[in-house]
Amino acid sequence: MLNTSARLLRLLSLLQARALWAGPDLAERLGVSTRTIRTDIDRLRQLGYPVEAAPGLTGGYRLGAGAALPPLLLDDDEAVAVAIGLRTAANGGVGGIGETSIRALAKLGQVLPPRLRQRVSTMEAATVAVPGVGPSVDADVMIAIASAIRSEQRLRFEYACHDGRSSRRDVEPHRLVNWGRRWYLIAWDPDRDDWRTFRADRITPKIPGGPRFTPRDLPDADVAAYLQRGVGTATWRYYARVVVHAPTEYVRARLSVPVEIEELAPDRCQITLGSDTPEMLTLYLGLLGVDFDVIDAPELSAALIALADRLRRAAGSQVGTGLGNTP
């Protein structure tokens, strides 16, 4: 049997791992009586851990929110995951948390045992983070959205539309989804009686929030797939329909941006993609490395012509200096 100190640490770890524990389940996990569990719960409370007790058949013990952050108990895999997550967050698309992530990572590094510190160092040495150019989202905005999702409370916000206008929205937030360096909110919009997708970097939450709501089921259980189909025309200023002379799998593997793909033939597909500028559309399509036909996007056609002229001039300048004739 574990001694009292070891048992308390194990009990605290269990309470942090699950929202609600029945007393008999905790007793079985620790190999003690339910009376001992009650005594240990009182000991944790005396140490400042806000352990709440819910009565009834469906009741049990749960770790509540206290005035101060209690120490967290992480197993090996959790500690490594947190360290890697903090390093990723320092280079991510959420503004205002880079320096904070580095400070937290430094504190975690001080207490990691050598075997775990080596695992984290190995991962860091083998990877390189390339700074992105996408818009960042304020950390307070992300917290406000996530809190509304968790509490099942309507989110009220000002939204900067792609055409520069601002609109007031009152929605039932469903999920925050990360795609590349951008964050998107998928929500039910009661005013439009439909699901909508919003760019998180264009959201300015309003306080207080709205009333509580009963969560709805998204039409597609796969949130990521739903985002890929709907984001192209919902959150960008410019979008285009293009027929690509390549298989669907090839296009999906080459593009790292949200895109809707419809297979037309084994070696041909139609895609719908969007961006903030026509020039970015030319970049995405250029990365495909195959022929394509523009179906519906006059701004894209103009940008492609301008880019083609620029590339011809660049190639001509190489030839003029003799560099283009190097064998």
Side-chain angles (χ1 to χ4, degrees):
M1 180 182 294
L2 297 174
N3 61 41
T4 301
S5 298
R7 193 175 65 246
L8 286 178
L9 289 174
R10 177 59 178 157
L11 174 59
L12 181 58
S13 179
L14 291 172
L15 290 172
Q16 291 177 343
R18 186 192 296 180
L20 184 67
W21 282 93
D25 291 341
L26 289 174
E28 181 180 357
R29 286 293 191 98
L30 297 175
V32 297
S33 66
T34 55
R35 179 178 179 180
T36 300
I37 291 297
R38 290 194 295 270
T39 301
D40 287 348
I41 291 294
D42 288 337
R43 289 192 177 105
L44 288 177
R45 289 168 176 163
Q46 293 171 10
L47 292 172
Y49 293 94
V51 183
E52 302 172 352
L57 295 176
T58 60
Y61 298 103
R62 58 172 170 259
L63 194 62
L69 179 67
L72 297 176
L73 297 178
L74 304 174
D75 62 27
D76 287 3
D77 290 339
E78 290 171 341
V80 172
V82 169
I84 295 175
L86 288 171
R87 174 63 66 183
T88 302
N91 298 287
V94 179
I97 67 170
E99 182 181 351
T100 306
S101 299
I102 294 297
R103 292 202 309 268
L105 182 61
K107 292 179 181 179
L108 182 60
Q110 291 176 350
V111 298
L112 283 177
R115 67 180 187 281
L116 299 185
R117 192 179 300 117
Q118 179 62 34
R119 289 173 60 181
V120 174
S121 298
T122 299
M123 175 64 74
E124 292 179 349
T127 59
V128 176
V130 178
V133 296
S136 63
V137 186
D138 188 271
D140 290 338
V141 172
M142 296 290 288
I143 293 173
I145 297 174
S147 298
I149 293 173
R150 181 179 181 184
S151 62
E152 298 176 356
Q153 186 177 16
R154 280 196 181 186
L155 181 67
R156 294 169 174 164
F157 57 91
E158 291 285 340
Y159 189 67
C161 301
H162 54 68
D163 59 2
R165 295 181 298 107
S166 178
S167 62
R168 178 69 61 90
R169 313 303 281 264
D170 186 342
V171 303
E172 300 174 1
H174 181 73
R175 286 291 185 276
L176 271 170
V177 185
N178 176 241
W179 184 292
R181 278 185 55 86
R182 289 184 171 85
W183 286 90
Y184 301 91
L185 168 65
I186 297 177
W188 174 262
D189 191 332
D191 293 336
R192 291 155 180 80
D193 196 31
D194 197 4
W195 291 94
R196 289 291 187 268
T197 303
F198 304 93
R199 285 256 301 267
D201 58 289
R202 295 177 177 174
I203 291 177
T204 304
K206 297 299 181 183
I207 305 297
R212 292 178 61 85
F213 64 90
T214 300
R216 304 168 187 264
D217 292 329
L218 197 66
D220 193 328
D222 188 338
V223 178
Y226 178 85
L227 174 70
Q228 291 178 40
R229 287 195 303 272
V231 75
T233 60
T235 59
W236 301 104
R237 184 174 183 181
Y238 298 97
Y239 68 94
R241 288 192 299 119
V242 178
V243 172
V244 181
H245 298 208
T248 300
E249 295 75 12
Y250 174 88
V251 175
R252 197 181 303 278
R254 296 281 296 219
L255 290 177
S256 60
V257 295
V259 59
E260 181 179 347
I261 304 180
E262 177 186 355
E263 184 175 14
L264 302 177
D267 61 348
R268 197 158 54 96
C269 61
Q270 178 176 293
I271 66 173
T272 302
L273 73 166
S275 73
D276 285 331
T277 67
E279 289 73 22
M280 287 299 296
L281 289 175
T282 66
L283 173 62
Y284 299 149
L285 293 170
L287 292 174
L288 290 174
V290 295
D291 291 340
F292 58 87
D293 304 314
V294 179
I295 303 302
D296 178 21
E299 299 89 357
L300 171 60
S301 297
L304 286 170
I305 293 173
L307 176 61
D309 292 340
R310 190 174 300 114
L311 293 177
R312 287 195 198 94
R313 290 195 297 272
S317 64
Q318 289 277 356
V319 172
T321 59
L323 296 177
N325 297 324
T326 302

